[in-house]
Amino acid sequence: QGQLAESGGGLVQSGGSLRLSCAASGRAFKLYPMGWFRQAPGKEREFVAWIYWNGMVTTYADSVKGRFTISTDNAKNMVFLQMNSLKPEDTAVYFCNKYQTNWRRNEFWGQGTQVTVSS
């Protein structure tokens, strides 16, 4: 069923930047757009951004629009999330996965990468 490996998280001060990476192995992931999602402590997992593998279309959650940029390296099956102007409310575990309307039903998730933004 493939594998997802997220990396690049860490501790950063408010206003700082981080770049997350996602390695997606397995043919199934290339059949769908890819997305980034996040889950803060005590909250439901939420959508952050999605992109087609060719990079032609991107969509962002309102909370990150203008601060985050999603991109892909199609040849290497990698997805990235450049996060700028980070805020404490961006603190969460970040996950990548295939994006579809019912993404909450995705059965397989990677371990995610922790992003902590201090005020």
Side-chain angles (χ1 to χ4, degrees), residues 7-83:
S7 62
L11 173 63
V12 64
Q13 288 188 332
S14 181
S17 298
L18 283 173
R19 187 182 190 231
L20 306 184
S21 298
C22 166
S25 63
R27 230 180 292 179
F29 293 114
K30 297 305 287 280
L31 300 177
Y32 296 86
M34 288 295 289
W36 282 97
F37 310 86
R38 67 186 182 185
Q39 187 165 16
K43 294 188 177 181
E44 287 191 353
R45 195 166 298 180
E46 64 177 6
F47 160 78
V48 174
W50 70 264
I51 187 171
Y52 282 109
W53 277 104
N54 63 9
M56 293 299 291
V57 176
T58 59
T59 302
Y60 297 91
D62 288 343
S63 58
V64 306
K65 206 171 290 183
R67 300 188 298 122
F68 291 10
T69 303
I70 188 171
S71 61
T72 64
D73 184 329
N74 200 358
K76 296 182 179 178
N77 294 351
M78 297 285 296
V79 187
F80 307 98
L81 187 68
Q82 177 66 43
M83 306 187 296

